[in-house]
Amino acid sequence: MAILLSSVTGVNGTAIATNAVENTPIVEAASAQILSQKNSQSKSAAATTSVETYVRAYFEETPILAEVARCESRFRQHGKDGEVLRGMMVDDDLGVMQINDYFHGKTADKLGLDLHTLEGNLAYAKYLYEKQGLQPWSASAPCWDK
């Protein structure tokens, strides 16, 4: 399934990828696709592609973070059950960027970011990258540091 993309300026002047046909943010489209298509592998791949497109556009200026998302979650914000994706090794790791809720949840809350949403997960990852670089994702470096 192909999605025509356009962009609009969102909060804080950031570009938001939108579905040009329906003029809806890709995040909403991706979330809706993930929830409604969770039992179909081929449709699930289309939803992941939408999240991937959004993540790559969001991190256009820092493409290494998109590669981190690829390695950490395979561009998935939600699991098959429709709930936020949790880490396989550490249950506190959340979403597409696998942000650890135990270590970062309070700071994310203070910043007004919800790690359970794609928007909040990506925004916190950008914040974390600006503060600590790639160190928080060092465990997956063999995948993204090629």
Side-chain angles (χ1 to χ4, degrees):
M1 176 173 111
I3 295 178
L4 268 120
L5 298 178
S6 64
S7 68
V8 295
T9 303
V11 180
N12 301 329
T14 58
I16 299 172
T18 60
N19 178 325
V21 175
E22 298 170 3
N23 200 26
T24 57
I26 294 300
V27 173
E28 291 175 13
S31 295
Q33 286 175 339
I34 289 170
L35 292 175
S36 67
Q37 300 169 351
K38 64 185 177 184
N39 294 326
S40 169
Q41 250 184 338
S42 63
K43 290 181 181 180
S44 178
T48 300
T49 301
S50 296
V51 174
E52 179 180 352
T53 300
Y54 183 81
V55 169
R56 289 193 184 281
Y58 189 90
F59 291 131
E60 183 177 23
E61 294 181 18
T62 51
I64 189 65
L65 288 176
E67 292 306 305
V68 169
R70 178 184 59 80
C71 294
E72 291 284 344
S73 68
R74 294 188 314 257
F75 296 107
R76 295 174 299 146
Q77 177 65 19
H78 299 96
K80 292 179 182 178
D81 59 1
E83 297 293 323
V84 68
L85 182 70
R86 293 198 170 265
M88 291 182 357
M89 302 295 281
V90 180
D91 192 56
D92 281 335
D93 292 346
L94 302 175
V96 71
M97 297 302 294
Q98 292 290 277
I99 305 292
N100 188 283
D101 193 33
Y102 179 82
F103 292 108
H104 301 287
K106 289 180 183 175
T107 303
D109 288 343
K110 287 179 187 176
L111 294 170
L113 301 173
D114 182 355
L115 297 176
H116 293 82
T117 66
L118 182 58
E119 300 91 342
N121 203 271
L122 295 177
Y124 192 82
K126 186 179 277 190
Y127 165 83
L128 194 56
Y129 176 75
E130 290 170 0
K131 298 290 184 196
Q132 298 181 28
L134 293 167
Q135 189 282 326
W137 299 281
S138 61
S140 64
C143 176
W144 51 256
D145 191 24
K146 293 181 180 182

